[in-house]
Amino acid sequence: AILGPQVVSSVLSMPLQLPLLGLADLRTHFMKCWLVFIGFFMSLCVLKNLAHAFKKNGLSEVLSVLKDLLPVLLQNLLLGSWNPQMLRLASREISLLTMLLLFYFSAQMILFSMARMPFPVVQKWLVPYAMLLGLGWIAPELAKPALLVTLLAFGAWLLWWLA
């Protein structure tokens, strides 16, 4: 904050050659490292849940846990598939939409668990997310406005769902 947004932006835009990650700007390297970090801890959580489920009821419980975790795992795989140019153009918007989706999945999981109802595996909001991801690879200049519209629509819908 002391340096100001222009200085921070220029530092994050500097190209940097790293041994395993190649040549990219600092922002892209940070995102790659963040995805590896999150992927590691997500894998630990999934494996711990699967081990607990296997001890509890065997393979049938493991399949049930995998079914419940499928939307979150798919969303995290999609997160790692964004076009690097889109990550540079709209990193905040992508992060916000991703976190709102994860919050929505978590709130649903809690609500359905409390009601002792099955968690819906088919999550309709993953479709626009995947479409935005594809648009980001095809036409990044069109994807950012579409991302903003989707973010506004999903945010409004999420507020309505929570009310």
Side-chain angles (χ1 to χ4, degrees), residues 24-139:
D25 62 5
L26 194 57
R27 187 178 293 130
T28 303
H29 286 313
F30 177 76
M31 184 61 104
K32 288 178 183 178
C33 291
W34 179 252
L35 289 173
V36 169
F37 176 77
I38 293 299
F40 173 74
F41 283 106
M42 184 181 72
S43 299
L44 282 177
C45 291
V46 168
L47 290 174
K48 190 170 181 166
N49 280 320
L50 293 177
H52 178 72
F54 188 75
K55 274 194 253 180
K56 184 179 176 185
N57 262 356
L59 189 59
S60 65
E61 188 70 20
V62 169
L63 293 175
S64 176
V65 167
L66 281 174
K67 178 185 68 89
D68 289 343
L69 289 175
L70 187 65
V72 176
L73 293 174
L74 180 60
Q75 199 269 335
N76 279 297
L77 287 173
L78 290 173
L79 173 61
S81 303
W82 281 95
N83 180 352
Q85 184 181 358
M86 272 303 296
L87 291 174
R88 283 190 295 278
L89 288 174
S91 57
R92 290 180 182 150
E93 293 85 355
I94 292 170
S95 297
L96 181 58
L97 182 59
T98 301
M99 294 308 119
L100 285 176
L101 275 171
L102 288 174
F103 167 76
Y104 174 61
F105 295 156
S106 299
Q108 272 190 320
M109 183 67 77
I110 292 166
L111 182 68
F112 282 89
S113 296
M114 288 171 42
R116 302 214 187 275
M117 299 291 294
F119 180 70
V121 177
V122 178
Q123 295 290 331
K124 62 184 173 196
W125 283 102
L126 279 176
V127 174
Y129 190 86
M131 290 172 63
L132 285 168
L133 191 146
L135 186 61
W137 281 99
I138 296 167

Side-chain angles (χ1 to χ4, degrees), residues 1-11:
I2 295 172
L3 300 175
Q6 290 83 11
V7 174
V8 172
S9 181
S10 66
V11 168

